Amino acid sequence: DAEEAPAEARSPSPASSPADGRLKAAAKRVTFPSDEDIVSGAVEPKDPWRHAQNVTVDEVISAYKQACQKLNCRQIPKLLRQLQEFTDLGHRIDCLDLKGEKLDYKTCEALEEVFKRLQFRVVDLEQTNLDEDGASALFDMIEYYESATHLNISFNKHIGTRGWQAAAHMMRKTSCLQYLDARNTPLLDHSAPFVARALRIRSSLAVLHLENASLSGRPLMLLATALKMNVNLRELYLADNKLNGLQDSAQLGNLLKFNSSLQILDLRNNHVLDSGLAYICEGLKEQKKGLETLVLWNNQLTHTGMAFLGVTLPHTHSLETLNLGHNPIGNEGVRNLKNGLISNRSVLRLGLTSTKLTCEGAVAVAEFIAESPRLLRLDLRENEIKTGGLMALSLALKVNHSLLRLDLDREPKKEAVKSFIETQKALLAEIQNGCKQNFMLAREQEEKEQRLQLSASMPEITITEPQPDEEPGDEPATRAQENGAPGPGARPDSDSDSDSEEEDGEE
């Protein structure tokens, strides 16, 4: 109720100070406006979709043409043709294809009239000669209007730092963007921090293509460090980046130690070398779940690197596809790999194209095939595998019932004894027949499982009481099959064990 301010808040007035030195404060009052007067006005946030209500193709085309006229820029005939073909504008349209069109800043600005009215699954901006201004404008639009789930900005070498900065902002803010293709678009030292921060903090990206993006060194270090904390990215493609066998590979190894969400890592056409593979293997040992596909095609790997990989494979539980093609592994390398592959229980597909194998290496591969109950595909093309190797592979397929595809060169290899050419042809046919038989068996097994699932899901129509003269031992097995438990012909490696089957029968 006091109308004067507290004594502590009073400010002394030098002019009115009395002669005896005491301070005499001037009275001050504090007032507050009424509630109605506090807020002077309010502005509603802009609605990105205010132009997209019940829009027609003619309206979109007209708005785009007016924007081009206003900005004094050329219209894109390819875009106009696509707009005329669109029918259902209420949902995301499959694709907006601007590949190969030269997009300067004004041309990009005119595209906003399309993006504010239509959304797309794929926006293809490959090789559109984007500069910093045009790229920044486009990425801002795509972020604001959530224009695409798949975006292709590959082969744009001049988007620069500001372009990448806008791209990083788009990656961080757009919840619908799942796929970004930036092949042959350099991500240099001064641009990489923006992208790394976007991937570390929050990004909905599931697939990222950065082939031939000049990543070796600091950009890769920033990227790998950021991805340690990323839980959304599933596929990372880093081919043709001249990644080395020391610092770059060490960063990738660390990434694999901490990230268990990544499923595909493609490192083809780099310089990982045996020294780099040792770092990657250290990370692979920590992958209890996660990485399913590792592509090491053409990385100058030798038998030394295969020794590291052979020791690592028994510890990997998620790796299903391993591609080692176009590395000079040789027969010794396959021998180093063999025991690790036999101990591994996850690898389903193995690529050994052009790996300097001869018959001796094929025999080691055949030993793995004979021991493997899960291998589905093996690629041995472009190797010098002759009669002896083919014979070993053919014998292995007689005891293997999982391999569905074994890729070999179609033409027989030259041999000193001419009659061996015909033997090779017969063995190649025999191998293909073995794969076909496995395929038929797999299909029959799948159909049998589907029938069992169908019978288990069908409602029981009648319940018949057991007759007194029935053998009590027959009933549990019969009822177990009716309840969906595997019958006598079920797979030996079926997940259900005998205890659960007996419990089903008793129920």
Side-chain angles (χ1 to χ4, degrees):
D1 296 333
E3 293 190 358
E4 289 188 359
E8 292 86 331
R10 296 173 187 157
S11 39
S13 173
S16 62
S17 297
D20 58 3
R22 288 178 302 167
L23 298 176
K24 185 178 179 182
K28 287 191 175 180
R29 297 187 179 188
V30 178
T31 59
F32 295 96
S34 63
D35 291 348
E36 292 78 10
D37 297 332
I38 290 176
V39 179
S40 60
V43 178
E44 289 294 323
K46 284 188 177 180
D47 175 17
W49 305 117
R50 62 189 183 279
H51 298 286
Q53 306 297 327
N54 302 317
V55 70
T56 64
V57 168
D58 290 339
E59 288 170 359
V60 178
I61 293 174
S62 174
Y64 172 67
K65 287 182 175 178
Q66 285 177 18
C68 291
Q69 192 173 359
K70 183 179 177 182
L71 292 163
N72 193 24
C73 66
R74 68 179 186 88
Q75 299 173 14
I76 304 173
K78 187 177 184 179
L79 172 62
L80 291 171
R81 286 196 300 271
Q82 289 176 74
L83 290 174
Q84 287 166 353
E85 293 171 2
F86 294 155
T87 52
D88 184 7
L89 307 185
H91 300 88
R92 282 194 184 275
I93 297 162
D94 282 339
C95 181
L96 178 65
D97 180 9
L98 297 173
K99 181 177 178 179
E101 296 291 329
K102 286 193 171 13
L103 303 180
D104 57 19
Y105 175 69
K106 288 185 177 180
T107 313
C108 292
E109 282 290 323
L111 287 173
E112 185 168 10
E113 296 302 324
V114 176
F115 286 134
K116 68 169 61 170
R117 292 170 172 83
L118 304 176
Q119 284 182 309
F120 306 90
R121 289 191 183 88
V122 179
V123 173
D124 190 346
L125 302 173
E126 181 176 329
Q127 209 169 351
T128 46
N129 206 30
L130 288 172
D131 59 9
E132 284 191 280
D133 294 330
S136 301
L138 270 180
F139 297 153
D140 286 346
M141 290 175 208
I142 291 169
E143 179 263 313
Y144 184 66
Y145 298 110
E146 296 188 341
S147 303
T149 60
H150 291 57
L151 178 62
N152 184 355
I153 59 170
S154 56
F155 290 90
N156 283 292
K157 297 186 178 180
H158 306 292
I159 68 172
T161 305
R162 281 192 294 116
W164 272 117
Q165 192 171 1
H169 186 264
M170 170 187 68
M171 290 158 61
R172 194 168 71 247
K173 295 289 186 182
T174 310
S175 59
C176 65
L177 187 64
Q178 299 168 10
Y179 178 107
L180 179 65
D181 187 347
R183 290 169 296 130
N184 297 280
T185 303
L187 179 60
L188 303 177
D189 284 14
H190 41 271
S191 306
F194 302 117
V195 177
R197 184 166 177 267
L199 290 170
R200 183 177 70 247
I201 295 175
R202 186 179 61 213
S203 170
S204 59
L205 277 183
V207 181
L208 180 57
H209 282 268
L210 288 172
E211 295 98 327
N212 194 21
S214 305
L215 289 181
S216 180
R218 186 166 178 265
L220 183 75
M221 182 267 289
L222 292 168
L223 193 71
T225 306
L227 287 175
K228 287 179 190 176
M229 294 176 251
N230 184 298
V231 296
N232 292 320
L233 195 69
R234 296 289 179 266
E235 302 178 19
L236 180 60
Y237 298 87
L238 301 176
D240 302 293
N241 275 297
K242 298 179 182 173
L243 303 182
N244 59 51
L246 296 171
Q247 183 189 0
D248 294 338
S249 297
Q251 294 296 340
L252 293 170
N254 275 329
L255 168 61
L256 292 175
K257 280 183 183 177
F258 293 98
N259 184 312
S260 59
S261 303
L262 202 62
Q263 294 175 356
I264 296 178
L265 180 59
D266 187 343
L267 301 174
R268 75 184 64 206
N269 301 331
N270 282 296
H271 307 302
V272 167
L273 308 176
D274 295 329
S275 56
L277 185 56
Y279 287 116
I280 291 170
C281 286
E282 288 300 312
L284 273 177
K285 284 180 183 175
E286 305 296 323
Q287 287 279 319
K288 304 303 178 190
K289 60 173 186 175
L291 195 68
E292 296 176 1
T293 299
L294 177 61
V295 180
L296 293 166
W297 175 284
N298 188 25
N299 271 284
Q300 296 86 55
L301 305 176
T302 71
H303 61 90
T304 307
M306 294 307 102
F308 299 136
L309 199 53
V311 172
T312 303
L313 282 171
H315 301 281
T316 61
H317 302 291
S318 60
L319 191 66
E320 295 181 354
T321 301
L322 178 60
N323 193 334
L324 299 168
H326 282 259
N327 287 295
I329 291 168
N331 298 331
E332 188 178 349
V334 171
R335 285 200 301 272
N336 292 341
L337 205 57
K338 182 187 71 175
N339 290 333
L341 286 169
I342 291 172
S343 301
N344 175 279
R345 283 290 175 264
S346 64
V347 173
L348 304 176
R349 290 167 287 273
L350 179 62
L352 294 171
T353 305
S354 187
T355 47
K356 310 284 186 189
L357 298 186
T358 65
C359 291
E360 186 185 343
V363 170
V365 173
E367 289 174 20
F368 161 55
I369 294 173
E371 295 284 340
S372 172
R374 290 178 177 80
L375 189 67
L376 297 176
R377 183 179 176 186
L378 178 62
D379 193 341
L380 293 172
R381 288 174 295 180
E382 299 176 35
N383 287 298
E384 284 299 311
I385 299 175
K386 300 182 180 178
T387 308
L390 293 176
M391 200 172 291
L393 293 170
S394 178
L395 288 170
L397 267 169
K398 293 189 189 312
V399 295
N400 176 292
H401 301 297
S402 68
L403 191 62
L404 306 180
R405 181 169 172 180
L406 176 54
D407 292 306
L408 292 160
D409 295 325
R410 292 183 180 181
E411 293 301 317
K413 305 293 179 182
K414 292 180 181 179
E415 296 219 47
V417 182
K418 287 189 177 180
S419 61
F420 282 2
I421 302 291
E422 295 303 317
T423 309
Q424 283 188 46
K425 288 180 181 178
L427 288 168
L428 284 167
E430 207 172 286
I431 288 167
Q432 294 308 315
N433 284 333
C435 291
K436 282 180 184 175
Q437 286 176 4
N438 287 347
F439 182 80
M440 297 300 292
L441 281 171
R443 185 190 286 181
E444 286 174 14
Q445 188 66 38
E446 187 180 348
E447 289 172 355
K448 186 186 290 184
E449 287 174 1
Q450 287 176 353
R451 285 197 299 271
L452 282 170
Q453 288 175 2
L454 185 63
S455 64
S457 62
M458 288 176 66
E460 197 169 337
I461 298 171
T462 59
I463 302 175
T464 55
E465 292 297 326
Q467 298 299 322
D469 58 343
E470 282 183 352
E471 291 292 331
D474 295 338
E475 190 186 1
T478 309
R479 280 195 302 203
Q481 288 183 42
E482 289 174 354
N483 290 334
R491 292 183 299 176
D493 59 341
S494 175
D495 292 336
S496 61
D497 54 25
S498 57
D499 293 339
S500 62
E501 289 176 16
E502 289 172 9
E503 286 171 11
D504 287 344
E506 287 165 8
E507 288 173 4

